[in-house]
Amino acid sequence: MEASHLEKCANLVPSSYIAQGQQFRTTRSNMVRILLEKQKVPEEGWEEEMIEFLLGELSQLDSNNALGNCGAGEREGRIFSSLVARRNYRLAHGVGRSGDVTAVQPKAIGSSILNKLCTKLMLDMIRFVGARNAKSCIIVPMATGMTLLLCFLALRSLRPNAKYIIWPRIDQKSCFKSMTSSGFEPIIIENKLEGDELRTDVPGILEAIKRVGADNVLCVHSTTSCFAPRVPDRLEEISLICKEHDIPHIVNNAYGLQSSKCMHLLQQASRVGRVDAFVQSCDKNFLVPVGGAIVASFNDDNFLDKVASTYAGRASSAPAIDLLITMLSMGVAGMKRLLAERKENYSYLKQELTKLAAKHEEKLLETNHNPISMAMTLSSLEECNCDVTQLGSMLFTRRLTGARVVPTFAKKEIEGHVFTGYGSHSNHYPHCYVTVAAAIGMKRTECDVIVKCIDKCMTSLKKKKSNAVGQNLTENNETNDVTHLDVISDDVTN
Amino acid sequence: MEASHLEKCANLVPSSYIAQGQQFRTTRSNMVRILLEKQKVPEEGWEEEMIEFLLGELSQLDSNNALGNCGAGEREGRIFSSLVARRNYRLAHGVGRSGDVTAVQPKAIGSSILNKLCTKLMLDMIRFVGARNAKSCIIVPMATGMTLLLCFLALRSLRPNAKYIIWPRIDQKSCFKSMTSSGFEPIIIENKLEGDELRTDVPGILEAIKRVGADNVLCVHSTTSCFAPRVPDRLEEISLICKEHDIPHIVNNAYGLQSSKCMHLLQQASRVGRVDAFVQSCDKNFLVPVGGAIVASFNDDNFLDKVASTYAGRASSAPAIDLLITMLSMGVAGMKRLLAERKENYSYLKQELTKLAAKHEEKLLETNHNPISMAMTLSSLEECNCDVTQLGSMLFTRRLTGARVVPTFAKKEIEGHVFTGYGSHSNHYPHCYVTVAAAIGMKRTECDVIVKCIDKCMTSLKKKKSNAVGQNLTENNETNDVTHLDVISDDVTN
Amino acid sequence: MEASHLEKCANLVPSSYIAQGQQFRTTRSNMVRILLEKQKVPEEGWEEEMIEFLLGELSQLDSNNALGNCGAGEREGRIFSSLVARRNYRLAHGVGRSGDVTAVQPKAIGSSILNKLCTKLMLDMIRFVGARNAKSCIIVPMATGMTLLLCFLALRSLRPNAKYIIWPRIDQKSCFKSMTSSGFEPIIIENKLEGDELRTDVPGILEAIKRVGADNVLCVHSTTSCFAPRVPDRLEEISLICKEHDIPHIVNNAYGLQSSKCMHLLQQASRVGRVDAFVQSCDKNFLVPVGGAIVASFNDDNFLDKVASTYAGRASSAPAIDLLITMLSMGVAGMKRLLAERKENYSYLKQELTKLAAKHEEKLLETNHNPISMAMTLSSLEECNCDVTQLGSMLFTRRLTGARVVPTFAKKEIEGHVFTGYGSHSNHYPHCYVTVAAAIGMKRTECDVIVKCIDKCMTSLKKKKSNAVGQNLTENNETNDVTHLDVISDDVTN
Amino acid sequence: MEASHLEKCANLVPSSYIAQGQQFRTTRSNMVRILLEKQKVPEEGWEEEMIEFLLGELSQLDSNNALGNCGAGEREGRIFSSLVARRNYRLAHGVGRSGDVTAVQPKAIGSSILNKLCTKLMLDMIRFVGARNAKSCIIVPMATGMTLLLCFLALRSLRPNAKYIIWPRIDQKSCFKSMTSSGFEPIIIENKLEGDELRTDVPGILEAIKRVGADNVLCVHSTTSCFAPRVPDRLEEISLICKEHDIPHIVNNAYGLQSSKCMHLLQQASRVGRVDAFVQSCDKNFLVPVGGAIVASFNDDNFLDKVASTYAGRASSAPAIDLLITMLSMGVAGMKRLLAERKENYSYLKQELTKLAAKHEEKLLETNHNPISMAMTLSSLEECNCDVTQLGSMLFTRRLTGARVVPTFAKKEIEGHVFTGYGSHSNHYPHCYVTVAAAIGMKRTECDVIVKCIDKCMTSLKKKKSNAVGQNLTENNETNDVTHLDVISDDVTN
């Protein structure tokens, strides 16, 4: 309530109360003032009402909500359903203008402020989680894959002759499609097996550059966050090569903002070599619904402007709204807590899975470079001739989602390219395994459920198999399971 | 309430009441049943509570909302903020899977049903508004420009050698960028002046095809909805040419779903010739917030599948949610009313602007082929040496948004191409003018405000000019106006 | 958004936009300012967002929402459930203090302002609908009956010896119980039949006063709004008697705010005689949920203060919140529309029921003094030996609620008193009848449904009866109906 | 989603997914089934969406929400504002019928179920917190004071000659007014000082009964929850006397549900003697907004029915809605946690205040029979001639609410009766003191704030006083404080 409005209430309640009310009012008013001045994530999260207030106030600055506004165009932000209006805080104009997804809209001042503010808070957040030298970022209302595609399209105009993208293999479909859909030919660099880990074949990258010629390479497309036993790419070495050969370097940091190790890798890479942009998912790092991604950069140059202006047309403001709400609600303190919990869960899950592996005479793969996920072999299942993929569907129907069971033999064709050992990031990984992640937002109790559920399903599978010997029984009690291959294909390709 | 639950209440209230309650319950239950069976927009719109109920029920089918679910992946649909959860109906997984934006997600059964259902209702709506032969459609969570870009990327893999897009000029930035950002070279076909109208130069298209060779043409990119004095393209002729030369034909029908004339054009074109897909905006036709577009097709072939699978990664479910709510809330009856009102507003606005033109000795341009917008010359302003663009900013600061003032001299460079007469869709349109639209959702009273506001501002401008003669006065009372060029650039480029 | 906050946004968007935003902001800010200054219902209703904003701002002034507040008492406005918090706008402290339901609470400045403001707007509304001389009012968070009881309790301390309440009979249970529950003995004045109307027996009142002695009379308790064929009491005559004999006069104006005739009666009565207070329902007049009543007065004296201070303890703020929202949302214009529609519906319903009466050889009773409801005889049903109460249950199960079927023979005991002809406000009303109201908020289409539904049910009843003659059939297809007597008892006693 | 509806979705998504969805659905469906069958508070709290679903389903059973319903009465549950509709879940008919606040409404089946269910859950809750033998309860939509008044009115018809209520003094205004407003004369039994505690003068009660005659006594009105140094009444002795003399016994258990000691007292009293009803506040025990109270009984007799039928008219359903939401959201587990935390806070606060007392050379009064609040003397302030009431206003303006500062000299007239030592429950309590409560919902950190804030203010007061000596300075920096007496009066009378 504006101070002057509260004063008017002095004819309704005693003025001594008004004075007390002004105190309360000022406390809140200051919080908003500081946010708008500093444009940083507040230390402590805001309560929901404050956040809705701010959104409401911004909304009132958009022309479709301006009292007395009249619309003579073809897009005037009218909303038919009051449900839709309410859930979108009556923010109807989206973000950006036709030529630039970060541009300010004259018709939508509030939406524009919201989007800019969200971007500033996001940059603050990115720095806080470890990329201290990050200089700028933009929020793109598309998921990670399409945002990588947008980066590649933006690079095209800068390197019109380039045809190839050099890509250390990561078996995630949208990563691959981001390159083929944008019209480029991926040069797949197979990973090297080091101990149990699958790591970047740096010499392979160099060789590929030499083979096709640096000018013909659009960029190197590397990855930080991935499922064990693959580990984050050797970003330092790659960025050095990129610098040396004057090749752009785009990093897929999909869910790396939650890991200080991933962020450290990026920060280091940017110091010693070339990193043009790193791309991350909003939903995977900030616990918002799917739909947005963040492109960030360590440079002052205008590559991000180029990316923004490659986006043709306006875009949904939903991701920015969800992010702004979440960052204000979380505060720096909330993010700290989440990061700390994640780290603890990672250790705890590792410890418990190690015990489980011992019990089943399996091995928890040693993949210490992977700070988020871990994998346990499934050799004992293979030994008793179980179909390991069946484990995947059993876990799924028991409401354990996201665990990926990876067989050794899968082949998959994507956009004309046949991958061997698909899902394992390798043509011939020596084990089949199950891999699970300790991701941000996970609860400690979930770690326990994971371990118990895998244990139970493995035991059950083996038992059935031994029962079935000589009886030629088909398994009936899993007939309601979602088809194996279907689930697997989800698991391994995301 | 399930029938069996209501029965349990018989120990709380008399059972005769329970029987009455079961009647009420059944009425509503039947509405849902019919919707899911027929998959058509209901004749009468639903009340909001019914819609929220359905969304809530779908939401409960997603794994992140399944009680007892445990998440072991990196994307488990967790939502940090309860505000965000609530506004998204806890639908966190978005739509699509990594390889296909229309694919069903095992983790998100409810979201998947929602998206499929929304698509079915949309197809019903598209047929209802005039494209009776439409066979399929997909909803893409990006605005029109990016969706056109996606179509072009999808075509690339089918026509790997094609480099050109033939494009009858339409001065809307995102249309142009959809082609350049996807890496193609637009061949601009200047419009022909016929009477006051700017119409498609069909021979020019033919000539361009011959010049570059049909195989090198990715597609013809035509437009239906546009600002007068440009009128919808001659779709029949273009589609015949495309058929004959085996060239794909993508139609930008941005806000054409609201016009039976635009839809008739499309329907006819598909009968006689080739239309591969037509793309339209969700917000401009269905009064939802910016963020989604619809690609529709008259064919059974799988071009739409190709488009869907070109999208790399999951996507926001926000557009589908907003559309589903809106279509259910609107009903067929609601859409009918909106279309009828729009038509009446169009006639009324025309009539009133004709009067205004007479008053100011201007002309309402005769652009009968344009069913949505109309333009009035501003010659009298030019004659007294006014800066016509100033009219634009005056209108804007008086809360009349969307009216475009188009001078005759504007030049603009977009992605390296210099457009002459930018905003007028023509190198040398003979008049400067102001153009306004009678768009869906507009109220009758807005027509009056438009006419009054233009009248007042023109009168004021002329008066100031005549006062200023010999006095060398600068105009002060408009100094707070949003900068002229800035607004203009918004107006003319959208 | 405070002006100074918006200024801070100048580092996010161009300052020319900020200027435009300030305009928008000021428009809204002025609306709030004017409301708080004038404390009158706005001419045009506010949009919902503005209303929620105001509620949110008030809520922030309550100590339970003050950031940094610490509670050391036993009632600190803590709310466990965020659902509950949200639906109550976090207003937890209710209204009033222990000794006075209108008192200001130091702990709840916002709630106190809300309640006071609501009262001021309500007084404005009461004057607008016709009681132009009304001087004050209070909102009591109890329905009409309990509020009448509160008035009687308040009168007790002023007239400690009084034992009787003189009450022109109105067959509504809560009216009767308001007197018996407060410990007084009602002196029932039977109504007089004049034509078809049941009207106040003024000499009967005088006689009663003489019989028991004026000092022993707590008050006269009269009624304006009632179901035909009873008509509003002769308020002028009653108030003259009260003035003359120095007896308080409390008017039950339950749903009379919606009728200019009822309000005129009150206004006149207050001019010529004595009216201490008139009590009306919030839900019946303002279309809010059940739960509140308004006590209003034409006097400056402090009877309302006495009523307020008779209420022991704090009370729910729900009625005040619902009323404030509704009055702001409705505006004076909205109320005008509702009143006009109601009048038209009354005439229309009368006209259609007259036709129906003719068809069934019944009579629409001539009860022109009743401005809201009307009654049609059911003689034809009686003539064919139908159980008229069955008509009531048939209407009810066909989703026609609120129509009262009144037989001539009903007896009912309430608190030891046996009423003859209960429901008809008379010991021996000559007809059985069905009575319906044209109440505020009713839609024109509902008038048609009422007439059709009564027609259909009467026809059906007669037909069954004639079929049943000589066949001794029991009626089966109504077995699911809510028990007759049950419904009747609801209908006639409310 | 009904099982049959989900089946219909098999033409939208693969049927294996439908099977998975049915599992999810069944889990939730079972929760509702069990609730309706057992009518007990669930062990674990429900998530908000489930609760809103249930409310929505109940709402759809009310006639105003039944599709196709037509209203012919004067109260048809129409709601003007969609904001109001939404916040009340479109439950418009309130609870009860004109003659009975617990009666089922034919027009409002859903509201009726809701109210009955809420009552059943509340009885379960009352038993859980300690009154294991409680037999019935009703929820009354008025706060504690008015509900006590309702009980007294109900007793009147059973004891028509009784004029007196015997009342061990408790200085809470609404308690006193509940007796005077209902028209009875309180016989005040002064408390006895035992150590630091103020306890019931049992012989005084006996003497009073003898003085006026048992038949003339309406009831004894005792209290459990109160502010130290008063302690809960000797319920066992009182109930024995009541049994012996055949006098009703109404217990004000305002916030006693949160204390196992208070509940034990009640349980014991009911075993050995007579307790007709015990009344408690909804807001103080269950952390909902002010507005409701619960009357509970250990007996099967029909006193509660009498209370319910004394309420004249329908009533707001707001308290029942808030309670139902809260109990479902809390679960038994949540209540357990809250009770345990409260107990811990009580001990902790006691410990910290003991330290504070030592520091200021004060004494924490020994009031072990009071399980909720505690008091510290303020002798040192008196000694330096400070106005102790000033401490109250200082605490208040520093956002410490609910702490009561009680001077020794206060006199107050309420309804003609002059209380000496008002606020202290005693004519001559030997100390002035500050009293604070460890109430349910309080956070541990609040305990710390309380102690610090009292410490700081006392120190500051003493310092000012010593500074002021010989300087005759007026205190300026507290001029904005809410007037002392005003706050005090709030503090001590509530």
Side-chain angles (χ1 to χ4, degrees), chain C residues 468-489:
Chain C
V469 171
Q471 298 176 39
N472 199 17
L473 285 174
T474 52
E475 183 187 301
N476 288 314
N477 59 344
E478 294 289 335
T479 47
N480 280 334
D481 280 11
V482 177
T483 332
H484 304 174
L485 289 180
D486 195 19
V487 170
I488 288 309
S489 124

Side-chain angles (χ1 to χ4, degrees), chain A residues 129-402:
Chain A
V129 297
R132 306 206 184 280
N133 294 351
K135 285 274 188 357
S136 58
C137 73
I138 61 174
I139 292 160
V140 181
M142 301 189 297
T144 318
M146 276 301 280
T147 303
L148 286 167
L149 176 148
L150 191 69
C151 291
F152 301 146
L153 291 181
L155 283 176
R156 186 205 305 275
S157 61
L158 304 171
R159 296 170 77 82
N161 298 322
K163 284 182 182 150
Y164 303 103
I165 297 177
I166 292 179
W167 179 64
R169 175 173 169 185
I170 167 96
D171 289 358
Q172 198 140 9
K173 205 175 177 184
S174 59
C175 300
F176 191 69
K177 296 204 78 162
S178 69
M179 301 181 287
T180 55
S181 284
S182 53
F184 296 97
E185 191 175 316
I187 299 180
I188 303 170
I189 308 297
E190 290 291 334
N191 297 299
K192 285 178 111 167
L193 187 65
E194 303 187 9
D196 289 337
E197 292 182 333
L198 289 166
R199 304 199 69 184
T200 319
D201 178 8
V202 177
I205 292 174
L206 260 177
E207 195 186 320
I209 292 173
K210 280 176 195 155
R211 195 171 67 242
V212 300
D215 285 357
N216 292 320
V217 175
L218 186 82
C219 65
V220 178
H221 170 197
S222 66
T223 302
T224 54
S225 51
C226 57
F227 263 80
R230 194 194 189 285
V231 300
D233 277 321
R234 296 182 193 270
L235 285 203
E236 283 195 44
E237 288 92 328
I238 295 175
S239 61
L240 271 167
I241 292 173
C242 287
K243 189 178 184 183
E244 204 174 319
H245 293 82
D246 200 19
I247 295 176
H249 182 196
I250 305 291
V251 186
N252 177 5
N253 185 42
Y255 46 103
L257 291 178
Q258 67 192 277
S259 153
S260 55
K261 280 199 186 167
C262 289
M263 296 316 291
H264 183 71
L265 270 180
L266 274 163
Q267 173 81 359
Q268 279 307 98
S270 78
R271 281 205 184 138
V272 302
R274 174 169 181 172
V275 174
D276 292 71
F278 51 109
V279 177
Q280 35 266 314
S281 157
C282 294
D283 53 290
K284 290 178 186 164
N285 291 291
F286 293 103
L287 307 170
V288 292
V290 163
I294 305 139
V295 190
S297 164
F298 291 102
N299 310 318
D300 273 332
D301 70 13
N302 46 21
F303 178 60
L304 294 196
D305 294 345
K306 186 72 203 164
V307 173
S309 72
T310 299
Y311 192 100
R314 278 172 183 73
S316 170
S317 55
I321 295 172
D322 287 343
L323 275 180
L324 183 63
I325 294 173
T326 300
M327 288 189 288
L328 288 178
S329 166
M330 199 178 261
V332 170
M335 190 63 178
K336 259 185 209 161
R337 264 194 305 278
L338 283 167
L339 295 179
E341 279 169 25
R342 199 201 69 74
K343 244 181 182 164
E344 287 162 22
N345 285 338
Y346 176 79
S347 302
Y348 179 69
L349 188 56
K350 203 164 213 170
Q351 164 196 310
E352 294 303 306
L353 278 176
T354 304
K355 291 182 199 164
L356 181 70
K359 176 178 169 188
H360 284 274
E361 302 193 347
E362 300 286 358
K363 179 190 186 188
L364 188 70
L365 295 170
E366 284 178 31
T367 56
N368 291 329
H369 284 98
N370 191 317
I372 299 175
S373 71
M374 58 201 76
M376 184 181 81
T377 60
L378 297 175
S379 315
S380 63
L381 288 184
E382 276 193 324
E383 277 159 26
C384 60
N385 289 317
C386 291
D387 174 4
V388 296
T389 66
Q390 200 167 17
L391 178 63
S393 66
M394 285 178 79
L395 297 175
F396 186 80
T397 56
R398 275 151 193 78
R399 305 189 190 184
L400 178 63
T401 49

